[in-house]
């Protein structure tokens, strides 16, 4: 993939240096020392009143706040992809869906952080929260992706982020809201509906990849890396990895083959109207 490392996008919220990922709540060691000194000088217990007032002192994180060169490169890569994907949707969404695009934010964190959808944890993997319109990624996810046999090449990382931004597009279009209503009405079809939503996000990632290919940013080898990542995060593959058996009714994201096929559909057409995974189900050819 052809990209140039640069600074971080203004749509990136970098929380990697925050203690425990929850920065903002504590006063830090310097603040604490200040309270000790003031208490000594005035003879009043400011520390006790600070702590009893619900304040907490920031402590260091379980992982170092400074990042490795590899992680910095990865942060710049996702930042670059974030800007590229959002720039393309600014044109595509009005063209293809008559809708204005609004930017999502990308939160980089370590271990855990607060999100509009509850606590974000590394173990959960990258996700999009429609409540605050932010994508959450702990960059250690790439180690996990490598462990389950997926490519972590540049374009594999790009595909994962483009998929999450696909959920943002679904949010703008009101699709995920509609799906939650359908799920509430048909609890039995809950997983099936989730699969459709996820495959659509794969297809939308493909629509962006189409523009990247047109602009000469990616080649066939990159596409193969993206397909490898899509296969690695397929439900059947993940289930085989974790329990050695596959139970299709518990799928929430789709099989490796389905994920690759919908990504390819977006990639080849470059048209979000080709990403109607819901309609395909009704036609029985899903
Ligand atoms: Zn998803």
């Amino acid at each position: 993939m052809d990209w140039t490392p640069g600074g971080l996008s203004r749509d990136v919220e970098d929380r990697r240096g925050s203690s425990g990922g929850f920065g903002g709540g504590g006063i830090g060691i310097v603040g604490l020392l200040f309270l000790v000194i003031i208490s000594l000088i005035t003879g009043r217990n400011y520390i006790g009143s600070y702590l009893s007032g619900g304040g907490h002192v920031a402590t260091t994180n379980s992982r170092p706040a400074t990042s490795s060169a590899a992680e910095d490169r990865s942060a710049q890569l996702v930042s670059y992809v974030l800007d590229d994907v959002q720039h393309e949707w600014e044109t595509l969404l009005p063209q293809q869906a008559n809708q204005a695009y609004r930017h999502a934010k990308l939160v980089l964190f370590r271990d855990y952080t607060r999100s509009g959808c509850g606590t974000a944890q590394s173990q959960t993997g990258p996700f999009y929260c429609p409540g605050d319109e932010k994508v959450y990624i702990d960059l250690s996810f790439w180690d996990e992706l490598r462990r389950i046999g997926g490519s972590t090449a540049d374009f594999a990382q790009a595909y994962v982020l483009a998929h999450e931004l696909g959920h943002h597009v679904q949010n703008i279009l009101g699709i995920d809201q509609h799906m939650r209503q359908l799920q509430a009405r048909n609890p039995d079809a809950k997983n099936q509906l989730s699969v459709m939503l996820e495959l659509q996000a794969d297809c939308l990632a493909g629509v962006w990849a189409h523009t990247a290919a047109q602009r000469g940013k990616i080649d066939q080898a990159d596409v193969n890396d993206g397909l490898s990542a899509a296969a690695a995060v397929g439900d059947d593959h993940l289930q085989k990895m974790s329990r050695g058996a596959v139970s299709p009714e518990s799928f929430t994201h789709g099989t490796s083959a389905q994920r690759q096929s919908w990504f390819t559909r977006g990639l080849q057409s470059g048209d979000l109207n080709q990403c109607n995974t819901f309609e395909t189900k009704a036609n029985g050819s899903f």
Side-chain angles (χ1 to χ4, degrees):
M1 189 171 92
D2 177 23
W3 69 284
T4 32
L8 289 187
S9 158
R10 59 188 175 89
D11 288 326
V12 167
E13 245 180 69
D14 194 353
R15 299 188 194 164
R16 288 175 298 160
S18 313
S19 52
F22 281 99
I27 58 170
I29 296 300
V30 174
L32 186 67
L33 280 174
F34 180 72
L35 288 185
V36 169
I37 292 164
I38 292 293
S39 301
L40 286 173
I41 292 171
T42 60
R44 289 182 58 182
N45 185 1
Y46 283 102
I47 298 178
S49 47
Y50 171 71
L51 291 175
S52 64
H56 69 271
V57 178
T59 50
T60 46
N61 201 0
S62 56
R63 275 192 282 162
T66 51
S67 51
S68 66
E71 195 191 296
D72 277 340
R73 185 184 182 279
S74 179
Q76 295 196 1
L77 172 63
V78 291
S79 169
Y80 175 88
V81 172
L82 175 74
D83 280 348
D84 196 84
V85 174
Q86 302 215 92
H87 181 74
E88 291 305 311
W89 280 117
E90 273 175 355
T91 312
L92 292 173
L93 212 54
Q95 260 176 12
Q96 300 183 353
N98 206 20
Q99 278 275 346
Y101 182 79
R102 56 176 184 268
H103 280 221
K105 298 275 182 207
L106 173 66
V107 178
L108 302 178
F109 71 99
R110 278 202 177 87
D111 301 330
Y112 55 88
T113 193
R114 238 174 240 140
S115 90
C117 299
T119 301
Q121 286 180 304
S122 309
Q123 298 92 302
T124 324
F127 70 94
Y128 169 75
C129 172
D132 58 15
E133 305 204 330
K134 291 177 185 178
V135 174
Y136 291 82
I137 290 186
D138 181 326
L139 295 171
S140 67
F141 173 71
W142 309 127
D143 301 333
E144 174 65 12
L145 191 57
R146 194 175 298 119
R147 196 185 62 76
I148 60 172
S151 165
T152 52
D154 290 352
F155 191 72
Q157 299 186 22
Y159 150 76
V160 170
L161 181 54
H163 169 97
E164 297 309 334
L165 290 167
H167 287 310
H168 179 57
V169 170
Q170 290 173 321
N171 184 30
I172 293 175
L173 295 175
I175 294 171
D176 66 335
Q177 205 186 354
H178 178 64
M179 196 211 60
R180 276 194 296 274
Q181 287 165 354
L182 284 178
Q183 283 181 323
R185 258 183 276 147
N186 315 286
D188 290 348
K190 200 168 177 229
N191 285 354
Q192 237 175 1
L193 287 162
S194 160
V195 167
M196 290 178 216
L197 195 74
E198 292 301 328
L199 293 177
Q200 186 173 64
D202 283 333
C203 185
L204 295 172
V207 170
W208 163 73
H210 177 87
T211 73
Q214 267 188 332
R215 289 174 288 137
K217 296 262 174 206
I218 58 169
D219 57 18
Q220 189 55 47
D222 292 316
V223 170
N224 293 343
D225 288 331
L227 290 172
S228 153
V233 292
D235 283 323
D236 50 344
H237 178 75
L238 292 176
Q239 286 188 355
K240 240 182 264 168
M241 294 285 297
S242 64
R243 39 186 151 119
V246 173
S247 56
E249 69 282 358
S250 68
F251 285 178
T252 53
H253 284 70
T255 63
S256 302
Q258 282 175 319
R259 299 199 68 164
Q260 291 187 326
S261 136
W262 280 97
F263 174 79
T264 305
R265 191 162 164 149
L267 172 72
Q268 286 173 351
S269 67
D271 180 4
L272 78 84
N273 297 300
Q274 295 298 313
C275 297
N276 196 340
T277 51
F278 297 86
E279 191 174 66
T280 319
K281 169 69 181 163
N283 292 343
S285 56
F286 183 75

